[in-house]
Amino acid sequence: MEFSNARYEDPGRNTITLDVKTEQYGVIPFTYRTDGSEERPGTISEKVGKALRNGEIEVEPYQQTERGKEEQEAVIRAERNRRLSETDYFMMEDYPASEEDKEAVKQYRQALRDITEQEEYPENISWPEKPNCVK
């Protein structure tokens, strides 16, 4: 498997797009989440992750394109909403979690909502770290 044209798609470096050359399908465009959340054994995502960790793929830095600020903000809000949805289950009243874990998740969710208040938003954002108690 060969990789080429890798580049970050967002200022937070959460997503990489690249071309993957496979024997079966030839060259296919591929999107990789840098948090590794989509890596599964035997998948292209796992192979991309390993190649990235081994330094076998050079990733071009994020370059703001001609897309407007509104589109860039929409991409960031969509990512924020995706991260919020990952913790929705945790906020259910009957979810079995300690008060400490619930508070950590509440703080994480608030930090996600506050992304738009960061000084360099939307050009340069800092994503909060997901609490260890979140699956």
Side-chain angles (χ1 to χ4, degrees):
M1 194 170 288
E2 297 175 27
F3 311 104
S4 60
N5 301 321
R7 65 186 170 109
Y8 288 104
E9 284 298 311
D10 59 280
R13 298 170 52 129
N14 299 298
T15 307
I16 297 171
T17 58
L18 66 155
D19 293 328
V20 178
K21 185 177 181 182
T22 67
E23 276 187 38
Q24 186 174 5
Y25 300 108
V27 177
I28 58 172
F30 190 77
T31 302
Y32 177 79
R33 304 237 1 108
T34 58
D35 65 3
S37 62
E38 297 175 354
E39 285 188 36
R40 304 289 183 271
T43 63
I44 292 174
S45 191
E46 178 194 41
K47 292 173 183 169
V48 170
K50 284 181 181 178
L52 283 166
R53 289 187 290 278
N54 292 335
E56 298 168 18
I57 300 176
E58 185 175 327
V59 183
E60 295 292 321
Y62 171 73
Q63 298 278 327
Q64 185 167 354
T65 62
E66 292 301 314
R67 69 182 179 192
K69 182 179 178 185
E70 289 177 8
E71 186 177 340
Q72 185 178 9
E73 289 174 345
V75 168
I76 292 168
R77 282 192 306 274
E79 174 63 18
R80 183 225 19 226
N81 293 344
R82 184 193 70 77
R83 290 177 183 219
L84 281 168
S85 70
E86 287 181 335
T87 61
D88 283 347
Y89 71 94
F90 218 98
M91 295 292 96
M92 294 171 50
E93 197 171 304
D94 62 345
Y95 186 75
S98 69
E99 288 303 315
E100 182 180 310
D101 286 348
K102 284 185 178 185
E103 185 59 32
V105 173
K106 285 179 185 177
Q107 289 178 10
Y108 170 69
R109 290 171 62 89
Q110 187 59 52
L112 287 170
R113 289 186 191 97
D114 292 343
I115 287 288
T116 59
E117 304 301 318
Q118 291 183 8
E119 190 172 313
E120 295 182 29
Y121 175 83
E123 291 79 20
N124 186 19
I125 56 171
S126 178
W127 292 100
E129 189 172 327
K130 188 183 333 182
N132 291 333
C133 58
V134 175
K135 297 176 186 176

